[in-house]
Amino acid sequence: SLTAPVDAKLVISDALGRRVQVIADERLPSGSHIFTWTPDALASGVYFASLTVGTRTVSRALLHID
């Protein structure tokens, strides 16, 4: 949950580091936010979600099985 408005960016990358989708790149108001990733046209495999909020970035691995 955000305590104040902040610039945020949520990016999905493939295992080679190529950006495949930008889910959010905007100024978000304080509070909780939910984003949905729909990998319709992507092959099965490992992807990475990187969330940047202000100057902090957190990344998580995602497994997409089609």
Side-chain angles (χ1 to χ4, degrees):
S1 184
L2 301 174
T3 57
V6 67
D7 292 326
K9 188 171 193 173
L10 179 57
V11 176
I12 305 296
S13 302
D14 66 13
L16 297 176
R18 297 177 296 204
R19 182 180 296 175
V20 296
Q21 188 174 8
V22 176
I23 295 178
D25 187 4
E26 59 192 280
R27 184 152 187 87
L28 297 175
S30 59
S32 297
H33 303 275
I34 297 174
F35 296 96
T36 302
W37 176 48
T38 307
D40 291 334
L42 297 175
S44 295
V46 176
Y47 294 87
F48 295 91
S50 296
L51 175 64
T52 301
V53 177
T55 59
R56 184 170 183 218
T57 300
V58 177
S59 296
R60 296 289 185 261
L62 307 171
L63 179 61
H64 170 53
I65 301 172
D66 191 18

